[in-house]
Amino acid sequence: MNRVIISKDVQQFIRANREKSPTEIALKKSPFPEVSAPELAAQIDGWQRSVRKLPTWAFSEGIYYPDKINLEQCSSEHTALIKQTLIAKGSRVIDLTGGFSVDSCYLAQEAAEVIHCELNEKLSEIVAYNAQILRVHNLTCVVADGIQVLEHSEDQAYDYIYVDPSRRVNQGKVFLLEDCEPNIVANQDLFFRKSRVVISKLSPLLDISTALHSLRHVKYVFVISLDNDCKELLFVQERGYEGEPKIKAIRLFHDQLQDFEFTYSDERGTISRFLMPQHYLYDPDVAISKAGAFKSVGRYFGLGKLHQHAHLYTSESLVPEFPGRIFEITEVLPYGQFKKNNPYPQANVATRNFQDKVEHIRKKHKIKDGGSVFLFFTMDIHNNHIVIACRRIR
């Protein structure tokens, strides 16, 4: 950490130039002898990356930004808020894989103390400095391997363990939970000796069912999306819990939050009602799809499903609280008729359980992207290929 960067003159320069291209700044000569042009560019780049993802950091004066990879890998403030709701006020928390500390800082708003473990000494120093700027005075930064810190702690020293295992090991990407670092599967006995609750942030690409076979005492699984992009999975394990895990899909969009809770036994026991397209069409958010609530969500909101494998829903009356996109259907065409005469030269195209990909459909039917019309290429209850034309209402 180059502490000259936090001096008044350098900070003024960064504020004055933070809207400019970091590349442009990096190629110019630095006006400061002890701060290089690439260092200035890195701070400007860090601010630009944080404006939407970490607004508290971006609009707090004097924040020091770490390497780009640390900002790319850290949680957003939106998802950190979810984790904050999972811990009790006044508790003691250890973050085994601290990183840039976004989650740690939010947990610290509820906890009495958060121990932030980070192997990267430079990053730990940056986190400790920024914590003072942000007035997070109950964050203790430790430059050490989190597992080793845990091993040397007394039994039941913490109320919560938080861990975000790295999916990059020896510069290569790994896909199995057991191959991540730290190995949360192998360390479960250690975790439950030191704490009652373990909260693991896992990759959105992870298969939930596979993880449930590897992890014990899972009480909740949170599937979190932001603007229809699945960001992360949270597995909450509670020592001694033997019940069925509750699956909670959380949709964050336009500063709003929707959630839907179910269990896999609920899903297995639900029988879908199938309908031809009615007046409204519903496209579930990615959090619902990733969670696997394909039948449960339709039953809960009283909707009909278009096809067993299409995962589109319909109703005659509007259900505005549905967790996903809602459309008003203007026309339903058999695909054979659409092929002969396409009345939509411009549209937003989507496919659900359809034989062709979007790119092929656009090219084949000469459909320009954009506009207010949405076309869903899918199948109906009679296994006929259809095209649903609609306009989005939410």
Side-chain angles (χ1 to χ4, degrees):
M1 178 177 175
N2 183 355
R3 290 193 167 264
V4 180
I5 287 175
I6 61 179
S7 65
K8 183 178 178 181
D9 290 348
V10 176
Q11 287 294 305
Q12 285 179 341
F13 177 88
I14 291 169
R15 281 195 300 274
N17 292 275
R18 64 189 184 185
E19 303 283 353
K20 293 183 179 178
S21 164
T23 303
E24 178 187 332
I25 297 296
L27 293 174
K28 290 183 177 179
K29 184 180 178 182
S30 170
F32 308 102
E34 295 179 83
V35 181
S36 69
E39 285 179 310
L40 293 172
Q43 292 303 302
I44 290 168
D45 179 73
W47 181 85
Q48 292 175 0
R49 290 175 183 275
S50 300
V51 169
R52 290 192 63 192
K53 187 177 183 178
L54 308 170
T56 300
W57 276 255
F59 296 104
S60 295
E61 296 294 332
I63 289 293
Y64 194 110
Y65 295 99
D67 294 337
K68 180 171 65 174
I69 191 170
N70 302 129
L71 286 172
E72 290 173 344
Q73 293 177 345
C74 74
S75 299
S76 70
E77 288 193 56
H78 297 88
T79 59
L81 272 168
I82 303 298
K83 299 168 192 119
Q84 186 187 76
T85 66
L86 303 180
I87 69 167
K89 201 158 190 72
S91 53
R92 192 161 190 253
V93 181
I94 182 168
D95 183 344
L96 301 183
T97 50
F100 189 47
S101 81
V102 177
D103 290 325
S104 287
C105 285
Y106 269 85
L107 294 172
Q109 292 179 27
E110 290 295 314
E113 181 184 19
V114 175
I115 310 299
H116 174 279
C117 304
E118 174 53 54
L119 277 168
N120 184 328
E121 186 174 357
K122 176 185 172 184
L123 182 57
S124 184
E125 184 184 3
I126 291 171
V127 167
Y129 162 76
N130 285 338
Q132 296 305 306
I133 295 291
L134 297 169
R135 298 181 181 178
V136 183
H137 301 304
N138 57 337
L139 184 71
T140 301
C141 293
V142 179
V143 182
D145 179 278
I147 294 294
Q148 292 181 8
V149 173
L150 206 57
E151 288 173 336
H152 289 91
S153 300
E154 293 182 1
D155 286 355
Q156 302 310 308
Y158 309 99
D159 298 297
Y160 300 89
I161 293 171
Y162 177 73
V163 58
D164 176 7
S166 174
R167 294 171 288 277
R168 287 197 173 274
V169 180
N170 297 325
Q171 299 182 345
K173 200 163 187 178
V174 297
F175 299 95
L176 296 177
L177 195 55
E178 291 85 351
D179 292 335
C180 296
E181 290 185 356
N183 184 338
I184 64 172
V185 177
N187 282 293
Q188 288 179 94
D189 288 338
L190 171 65
F191 291 168
F192 287 124
R193 283 204 312 272
K194 305 301 180 179
S195 174
R196 182 178 59 88
V197 178
V198 182
I199 303 171
S200 300
K201 171 187 169 183
L202 303 178
S203 166
L205 299 177
L206 183 73
D207 180 74
I208 295 173
S209 297
T210 301
L212 287 174
H213 279 100
S214 300
L215 299 175
R216 306 195 305 268
H217 310 309
V218 177
K219 190 172 186 178
Y220 289 101
V221 178
F222 292 81
V223 183
I224 305 173
S225 74
L226 177 62
D227 296 331
N228 205 31
D229 181 12
C230 193
K231 292 297 185 183
E232 58 195 48
L233 305 178
L234 294 179
F235 283 70
V236 181
Q237 299 169 264
E238 184 177 300
R239 187 181 66 243
Y241 181 77
E242 297 297 344
E244 182 177 12
K246 294 180 176 65
I247 315 298
K248 200 161 191 172
I250 298 181
R251 179 195 185 205
L252 303 171
F253 67 109
H254 304 314
D255 294 325
Q256 298 180 58
L257 184 151
Q258 287 180 305
D259 61 8
F260 181 76
E261 185 177 299
F262 71 108
T263 65
Y264 284 138
S265 62
D266 290 339
E267 179 68 14
R268 288 190 296 271
T270 296
I271 299 175
S272 294
R273 181 169 61 108
F274 295 96
L275 292 174
M276 293 296 286
Q278 306 290 299
H279 193 64
Y280 295 99
L281 184 74
Y282 304 85
D283 181 26
D285 184 80
V286 68
I288 297 292
S289 301
K290 176 64 183 180
F294 299 118
K295 294 187 289 184
S296 303
V297 75
R299 180 191 64 181
Y300 183 85
F301 291 101
L303 306 175
K305 208 168 182 223
L306 295 190
H307 189 276
Q308 182 181 355
H309 304 298
H311 307 317
L312 288 170
Y313 307 83
T314 189
S315 70
E316 188 59 38
S317 300
L318 179 64
V319 182
E321 62 271 23
F322 180 81
R325 299 189 298 172
I326 303 176
F327 302 86
E328 183 176 26
I329 297 174
T330 56
E331 186 177 22
V332 180
L333 296 170
Y335 183 55
Q337 180 181 334
F338 184 90
K339 285 195 292 186
K340 293 176 183 176
N341 180 27
N342 169 24
Y344 301 102
Q346 184 178 33
N348 303 278
V349 175
T351 60
R352 298 292 186 273
N353 190 38
F354 198 75
Q355 58 193 5
D356 295 328
K357 295 186 180 297
V358 170
E359 297 78 11
H360 181 70
I361 290 171
R362 287 194 180 285
K363 184 176 181 181
K364 183 177 180 180
H365 300 292
K366 299 178 181 178
I367 305 172
K368 292 183 179 178
D369 189 23
S372 59
V373 175
F374 287 77
L375 297 178
F376 283 86
F377 289 74
T378 186
M379 295 179 75
D380 65 17
I381 57 176
H382 304 298
N383 293 321
N384 295 317
H385 290 96
I386 59 173
V387 182
I388 303 173
C390 48
R391 65 179 186 89
R392 187 173 179 181
I393 60 175
R394 210 207 67 185

